[in-house]
Amino acid sequence: MVRSLSNVPIFANEIFNQLYKNMRILLLGSGGREHALAWKINQSVWTNPLYIAPGNPGTSQFGINVNLDITDFEAISAFCISEKIEMVVVGPEEPLVNGLCDFFQTNEALRKIYFVGPSREGARLEGSKAFAKAFMERNHIPTAGYREFTSETYEEGVKYLQEHSLPIVLKADGLAAGKGVVICHNYLEAIAEFELMIQQSKFGEASKKVVVEEFLDGIELSVFALTDGKNYILLPEAKDYKQIGEGDIGLNTGGMGAVSPVPFATPGFMHKVEERIIKPTINGLQKENIDYRGFVFFGLINVKGDPFVIEYNCRLGDPETEVVIPRLENDIVGLFVATFNGELDKVTVRVDPRAAVTVMAVSHGYPMGFEKGFEITGLGENFGKESLLFQAGTKEENGKVLTNGGRVLCITSYGKDIEEAVNTSLDMLNYVNYEGIYYRGDIGYEFIKH
Ligand code: AMP
Ligand code: GLY
């Protein structure tokens, strides 16, 4: 059955929603992002039932966890067929970069499933830095100047580095678990890193090709679009805090917290973002016949009031999702249906005007080595209407929830402003505990007046 929305002007139409009450949904992933998505999908009038593969103990509050390997396409296919799944929502990038969308499209039994996530070609925006840079160049999208090198052009690369201004940014072309970007502050370091990446395969296949780019000095933010390939909607913007230490010091992590809205993302700045970056990206995808129905994550940097693209991702961010999704008021499954059907032009985004902040609690030692398996207490606390607890690296054993990763859980709170929201999350963190718990107390610091 094709569920067309063409005659339905608004999603808030309750009678319309009543008509479409059953959608069997499979969500792929297991982190805090997926817990937040499961929370939101579960609120949809369409959802019945929701499965999460593999999920975590948190996602099982909102659906049924299924023990599936999300890189095993045959297993996903068999599950979708046996459970009559009607919609698949992909959280992480890996299955998309490996072509899960194409796998669905070319399989007769799966092609009618509402698949949320780009084709393999679209996912190359994240899966290949060189592809993303060339795409931006072709479509005149502002980004740092660059060159790409392989072992064949290694000597030329070394020469290029020696003449480059400092600092120099080196990027492994392929996926490198978030570790493939190295910012070098002198030539010795840059050449050594370049050699490690290309000649010593530091990141395996991923660093056989290396992008060398200019360093852009500014403040970063994350902007998310949901596109059907020709139309798009913008979700609330966010800023994440990548470094382990308060005041943005120390090693990079997967993200220690996030805030939304971002105060410097004024209407004037966001207008530039849309005109110079979002529209040319969506138009570029369409012009180049790249099938893209899903989220585009624009990692941007504000350089003296002008936005530049640092990176694209083909998915939502983590922990940004844990603040973006709680602020989105639309029925998310309705948005996904419109995405699949190419009808996002009929949608009006509604956003909760309150600020949202999430604070990530991690394991002692993270992002270096850490121990797992500590019992987490306080998860059953009543966090009230202002706060939400999302689990990330957790597992359940004998009825207990244990730590099972570097980033363990996060608490998102709403507030009239960032300060109020972060203070609520920090208060709530007093109720949860596990051995070695660590979190940053300063998320959103630069937006708080003292
Ligand atoms: P990525 O893995 O692409 O998200 O890059 C990791 C981080 O490196 C980004 O979030 C930025 O903080 C930094 N970065 C990447 N490219 C640049 C650049 N051209 N100039 C300055 N910082 C950069
Ligand atoms: N928070 C950055 C990311 O998800 O890649």
Side-chain angles (χ1 to χ4, degrees):
M1 178 181 33
V2 176
R3 289 163 166 162
S4 172
L5 301 172
S6 2
N7 302 321
V8 183
I10 44 169
F11 282 84
N13 182 332
E14 290 305 321
I15 297 166
F16 162 72
N17 281 333
Q18 299 290 325
L19 290 174
Y20 295 95
K21 245 189 176 159
N22 272 323
M23 179 70 88
R24 303 177 65 81
I25 304 177
L26 172 64
L27 167 65
L28 301 182
S30 63
R33 168 180 54 209
E34 287 74 23
H35 193 179
L37 282 170
W39 168 79
K40 183 74 177 164
I41 292 170
N42 177 61
Q43 290 166 35
S44 168
V45 292
W46 299 59
T47 308
N48 186 20
L50 170 64
Y51 295 98
I52 309 100
N56 66 35
T59 62
S60 67
Q61 296 169 285
F62 303 115
I64 304 155
N65 285 350
V66 198
N67 196 10
L68 277 179
D69 172 357
I70 61 167
T71 60
D72 182 346
F73 293 1
E74 293 298 339
I76 295 170
S77 163
F79 181 81
C80 287
I81 292 166
S82 75
E83 295 309 315
K84 301 186 171 58
I85 294 299
E86 297 168 287
M87 175 180 282
V88 171
V89 181
V90 186
E93 63 280 10
E94 200 184 343
L96 297 168
V97 172
N98 292 342
L100 186 60
C101 176
D102 311 62
F103 179 84
F104 270 63
Q105 282 175 351
T106 51
N107 186 320
E108 198 48 48
L110 304 173
R111 64 191 315 162
K112 292 213 175 77
I113 294 177
Y114 290 61
F115 190 95
V116 185
S119 64
R120 184 201 297 268
E121 188 69 3
R124 288 179 80 197
L125 283 184
E126 173 163 7
S128 166
K129 304 270 189 208
F131 175 85
K133 295 297 286 191
F135 176 87
M136 287 186 264
E137 198 164 71
R138 282 196 298 281
N139 291 288
H140 312 291
I141 294 165
T143 186
Y146 83 107
R147 288 270 309 268
E148 61 183 73
F149 298 98
T150 60
S151 60
E152 275 94 72
T153 49
Y154 178 76
E155 294 304 330
E156 199 187 329
V158 171
K159 202 158 162 275
Y160 181 74
L161 288 175
Q162 284 162 336
E163 288 161 8
H164 202 286
S165 58
L166 291 172
I168 308 173
V169 183
L170 299 187
K171 298 185 170 180
D173 177 52
L175 292 183
K179 298 194 170 71
V181 175
V182 183
I183 296 171
C184 304
H185 296 273
N186 63 61
Y187 294 107
L188 276 181
E189 187 191 350
I191 292 165
E193 190 59 42
F194 189 66
E195 206 248 324
L196 271 178
M197 283 193 186
I198 291 192
Q199 310 287 51
Q200 317 285 335
S201 306
K202 180 177 177 189
F203 300 107
E205 280 293 307
S207 64
K208 283 201 154 158
K209 193 184 273 178
V210 170
V211 165
V212 177
E213 72 176 39
E214 282 167 11
F215 179 81
L216 296 175
D217 197 6
I219 177 161
E220 288 176 57
L221 81 158
S222 308
V223 172
F224 301 94
L226 180 62
T227 182
D228 57 22
K230 53 180 197 295
N231 311 295
Y232 68 89
I233 55 170
L234 282 189
L235 306 183
E237 77 287 350
K239 179 176 191 302
D240 83 343
Y241 291 79
K242 287 206 171 77
Q243 281 167 290
I244 188 74
E246 293 186 358
D248 292 330
I249 56 165
L251 293 172
N252 263 339
T253 69
M256 295 296 293
V259 304
S260 178
V262 178
F264 67 78
T266 57
F269 180 77
M270 290 308 288
H271 181 74
K272 291 183 192 170
V273 169
E274 278 203 74
E275 294 303 317
R276 298 179 191 174
I277 294 171
I278 314 279
K279 286 181 186 167
T281 299
I282 306 300
N283 291 341
L285 290 169
Q286 197 179 7
K287 206 167 61 203
E288 299 185 15
N289 284 320
I290 298 175
D291 181 14
Y292 204 117
R293 283 176 287 178
F295 293 105
V296 192
F297 169 155
F298 298 85
L300 305 181
I301 190 160
N302 174 350
V303 183
K304 300 193 184 89
D306 288 320
F308 290 79
V309 178
I310 290 276
E311 63 166 346
Y312 287 114
N313 295 309
C314 61
R315 53 172 171 85
L316 286 175
D318 195 348
E320 290 97 326
T321 303
E322 290 94 306
V323 291
V324 169
I325 292 297
R327 293 191 64 223
L328 179 70
E329 291 181 342
N330 301 64
D331 183 312
I332 199 166
V333 178
L335 295 182
F336 292 155
V337 171
T339 302
F340 192 80
N341 286 340
E343 297 183 334
L344 280 175
D345 54 333
K346 299 192 173 68
V347 170
T348 306
V349 181
R350 286 175 282 115
V351 175
D352 189 322
R354 289 175 296 172
V357 173
T358 198
V359 180
M360 187 69 74
V362 304
S363 294
H364 173 73
Y366 175 80
M368 303 291 275
F370 54 86
E371 282 181 62
K372 313 192 260 200
F374 299 113
E375 184 180 354
I376 308 171
T377 56
L379 292 174
E381 286 294 331
N382 179 5
F383 287 97
K385 285 206 173 102
E386 303 306 317
S387 296
L388 299 156
L389 186 149
F390 297 123
Q391 297 186 29
T394 63
K395 67 172 177 186
E396 193 160 346
E397 245 175 53
N398 305 323
K400 290 180 177 163
V401 179
L402 309 179
T403 65
N404 193 38
R407 293 192 294 172
V408 176
L409 50 88
C410 56
I411 296 186
T412 296
S413 301
Y414 296 101
K416 67 177 187 313
D417 53 23
I418 288 171
E419 181 171 16
E420 187 177 278
V422 73
N423 286 337
T424 305
S425 277
L426 293 173
D427 285 347
M428 291 301 149
L429 274 158
N430 288 322
Y431 293 102
V432 292
N433 203 11
Y434 52 84
E435 196 174 314
I437 188 170
Y438 168 75
Y439 50 86
R440 279 180 60 170
D442 70 337
I443 300 304
Y445 69 91
E446 69 274 61
F447 306 125
I448 297 173
K449 295 182 197 78
H450 291 285

